[in-house]
Amino acid sequence: MILSQALFLILSLAACALLAVLATREHRKTMTRRHRLLDEAAAVLKAPRFGLSADHHPVVSAFLEDGTQVTLDVVTDTMVTRRLPQLWLRVTLQDGVPHLRPAIGVLARPTGSEYYSAVHGLKEWLTPPTTQVPMLMRGSADAADDRWKPLRQGLASLVTDPRLKEAVVTPRMIRVVVQAAEGERSAHLLLRQARFAVDTVPQRTIRQALDLAMELRSLAGNAAQRAAVGVS
């Protein structure tokens, strides 16, 4: 009896040790895959610098030809239980000097669980232009001024693109968040894991996101010029 109990204990400990080894190995594989998600940025940006965020997602920074700093990072979104996991690519353009424009942003198809959203951090609720896409618009107090109506309309028009989740303008920053990939259904339904069909975000997706960020910067610049001369 005592021998049987000892054998059962040994086998149980061995099974636990094996599970721990397998879990550790799978975790390392997951982290390795995650670290590689922005490897393709090396072919898109000039002299990029690679790093890792606190949750071990890759972060890439570089400078555009005009001196604007660009930062790419990714977000794994598993917060909406009835939707497949989403991999978001975030592109941020930062200028060294502030521009004469308000802070204003729009979030497309909001669920209330977008913890990565900069729009949720803006103070004032704004009424977005009417489109067929549900959206949330917020900004600084001066963003509701009629001078910035073209900017509000432009932002609302941008997020009708199904790839674009969020577009934000502040005096120092331009940001877009686009869909990079959607989770595999089988891994999500059976294992509740966020696995994506891509090993790295494709160059094409990175270029498209950069183009959207540049389009938003041009839109914000044109709106600021019109506001400066009193044209709404």
Side-chain angles (χ1 to χ4, degrees):
M1 183 68 176
I2 296 177
L3 182 61
S4 298
Q5 290 177 340
L7 180 60
F8 177 77
L9 178 60
I10 292 171
L11 291 175
S12 298
L13 292 174
C16 290
L18 177 60
L19 288 175
V21 169
L22 293 175
T24 300
R25 185 178 300 172
E26 182 62 27
H27 177 72
R28 287 175 179 171
K29 289 181 179 179
T30 299
M31 290 299 101
T32 299
R33 288 195 298 267
R34 179 177 292 185
H35 295 171
R36 295 180 54 204
L37 282 170
L38 288 179
D39 281 4
E40 294 292 327
V44 178
L45 299 173
K46 184 177 180 180
R49 299 185 303 277
F50 288 81
L52 293 174
S53 65
D55 57 359
H56 289 270
H57 282 88
V59 179
V60 185
S61 59
F63 287 92
L64 303 180
E65 292 184 357
D66 63 359
T68 301
Q69 182 177 347
V70 56
T71 302
L72 309 181
D73 64 333
V74 289
V75 177
T76 300
D77 179 8
T78 60
M79 296 297 290
V80 182
T81 56
R82 296 186 179 182
R83 185 193 68 189
L84 291 177
Q86 300 293 309
L87 182 67
W88 302 114
L89 171 61
R90 184 164 49 190
V91 177
T92 305
L93 306 180
Q94 291 179 306
D95 290 315
V97 295
H99 294 269
L100 297 176
R101 62 193 184 210
I104 180 171
V106 61
L107 179 66
R109 300 166 293 277
T111 64
S113 62
E114 294 89 355
Y115 62 92
Y116 52 84
S117 171
V119 170
H120 287 309
L122 300 176
K123 294 182 179 181
E124 302 295 329
W125 293 83
L126 304 173
T127 302
T130 302
T131 70
Q132 294 183 347
V133 177
M135 65 183 68
L136 169 67
M137 183 174 284
R138 299 182 71 168
S140 52
D142 54 341
D145 192 286
D146 284 344
R147 294 180 303 157
W148 302 109
K149 183 177 179 181
L151 181 54
R152 296 195 300 272
Q153 291 174 329
L155 283 165
S157 178
L158 274 181
V159 295
T160 58
D161 185 330
R163 300 169 300 174
L164 190 57
K165 177 65 173 177
E166 182 177 60
V168 180
V169 173
T170 74
R172 288 183 177 270
M173 182 191 77
I174 298 291
R175 173 174 289 171
V176 296
V177 178
V178 303
Q179 184 190 52
E182 189 167 64
E184 295 178 350
R185 184 174 297 276
S186 58
H188 179 62
L189 294 179
L190 298 177
L191 304 174
R192 308 306 297 177
Q193 293 182 346
R195 292 183 181 175
F196 301 99
V198 297
D199 292 326
T200 64
V201 178
Q203 290 183 39
R204 182 171 179 268
T205 301
I206 295 174
R207 293 185 190 279
Q208 289 174 340
L210 285 168
D211 287 344
L212 286 169
M214 298 301 290
E215 182 180 352
L216 178 55
R217 184 169 76 163
S218 178
L219 174 69
N222 291 337
Q225 289 179 356
R226 291 170 64 88
V229 297
V231 178
S232 61

